[in-house]
Amino acid sequence: MKIGIVSDGQYGERAFEQIRRRFPTEWILLPYPSSPVVDEIELTIPPCDLYISYLRHPDIAMELIRTGIPVLLGINLGPGFIAQAHEFNPAVIGPETMCSVLPNTKFCQVNEYAKVFGRPVFYLVMDGDRIVWCKTIRGSPCGSTDTAASEISGQILDQEALSRFALSICHNCRAPRFGKTCDKEKAGIIHLEELMRALKGVNPKKWEELIQVLEKIG
């Protein structure tokens, strides 16, 4: 499956570097129009099985959507835009964040991508309260999952370690502020939830202890 990362140059570089390691991937750079409204658009792009759009201009993004190829919106332009997009192309996915995508859509191209990139899945090796190894099975396309997993490996798992883990995600997250729903704090929460899910599978006692702590601090 070939993936096209479509950008106007502001976002998408790190996603391209990550995704190209697992899929044939093409970097597609389009100009960002100076006008808020573009009437005539000639879109010439290489054919791909899935496009991931980091386009900020809604008219250009809509023209990409009109190709009929499945499109994953790396920049979510809001529910109104997505509703309009579905009139031209039902295979448009506007995730809350790029680390919330799951392989459970109606579109095989999106599902194939989301087996590798999306809502994180961790594999933990524990020695008592210490994380010996935290391996990313599925992670965000920006690479923040791998960075945070590497940093928490070897650490005693306590409230402080969880806070550092979530802050690492927020620091390295590339969720664009331009998006209507994407934000770094949500990305941190998603990763923390999935780390705790992995912990429950290998050390239920420690999971229960930390869940009680997290509930107290909200």
Side-chain angles (χ1 to χ4, degrees):
M1 182 177 76
K2 184 178 180 182
I3 297 176
I5 308 295
V6 189
S7 173
D8 53 35
Q10 186 70 25
Y11 299 107
E13 297 94 338
R14 280 171 59 180
F16 173 66
E17 292 301 324
Q18 292 288 319
I19 294 170
R20 71 189 297 196
R21 298 174 185 174
R22 304 297 297 274
F23 295 98
T25 307
E26 186 145 358
W27 174 255
I28 303 169
L29 187 63
L30 299 178
Y32 183 79
S34 57
S35 172
V37 178
V38 181
D39 294 324
E40 295 185 8
I41 302 171
E42 291 187 11
L43 197 63
T44 304
I45 57 175
C48 294
D49 301 296
L50 171 68
Y51 293 115
I52 300 178
S53 173
Y54 287 93
L55 297 168
R56 294 172 293 162
H57 198 290
D59 290 340
I60 305 299
M62 190 63 73
E63 195 65 20
L64 175 68
I65 286 163
R66 287 175 183 268
T67 63
I69 303 299
V71 176
L72 186 60
L73 296 175
I75 293 180
N76 190 325
L77 298 174
F81 176 87
I82 294 173
Q84 183 182 3
H86 284 161
E87 296 177 7
F88 304 104
N89 184 352
V92 175
I93 305 295
E96 188 174 20
T97 68
M98 288 297 283
C99 57
S100 67
V101 183
L102 289 168
N104 61 357
T105 74
K106 298 178 182 179
F107 312 105
C108 61
Q109 301 93 328
V110 176
N111 293 344
E112 192 66 23
Y113 162 85
K115 291 175 183 178
V116 182
F117 297 102
R119 191 172 184 99
V121 175
F122 298 104
Y123 174 76
L124 296 181
V125 176
M126 302 286 296
D127 180 12
D129 290 346
R130 183 182 299 276
I131 295 181
V132 177
W133 189 36
C134 180
K135 176 178 174 57
T136 301
I137 306 300
R138 180 175 63 211
S140 65
C142 68
S144 61
T145 311
D146 291 337
T147 299
S150 175
E151 291 172 350
I152 204 170
S153 294
Q155 301 297 312
I156 296 293
L157 192 54
D158 54 17
Q159 179 185 338
E160 183 179 349
L162 291 176
S163 295
R164 289 198 303 268
F165 174 83
L167 286 172
S168 175
I169 295 297
C170 293
H171 176 73
N172 291 290
C173 176
R174 293 287 289 172
R177 296 299 185 187
F178 184 86
K180 304 297 184 182
T181 59
C182 296
D183 68 72
K184 298 173 184 291
E185 183 177 301
K186 181 63 177 180
I189 292 171
I190 288 172
H191 280 76
L192 192 56
E193 288 174 347
E194 295 306 323
L195 182 67
M196 293 298 291
R197 187 190 302 273
L199 175 63
K200 186 178 182 180
V202 296
N203 193 334
K205 183 178 179 180
K206 187 65 178 178
W207 170 84
E208 185 174 358
E209 173 192 326
L210 289 174
I211 279 291
Q212 291 176 358
V213 171
L214 291 175
E215 286 177 347
K216 287 180 181 179
I217 63 176

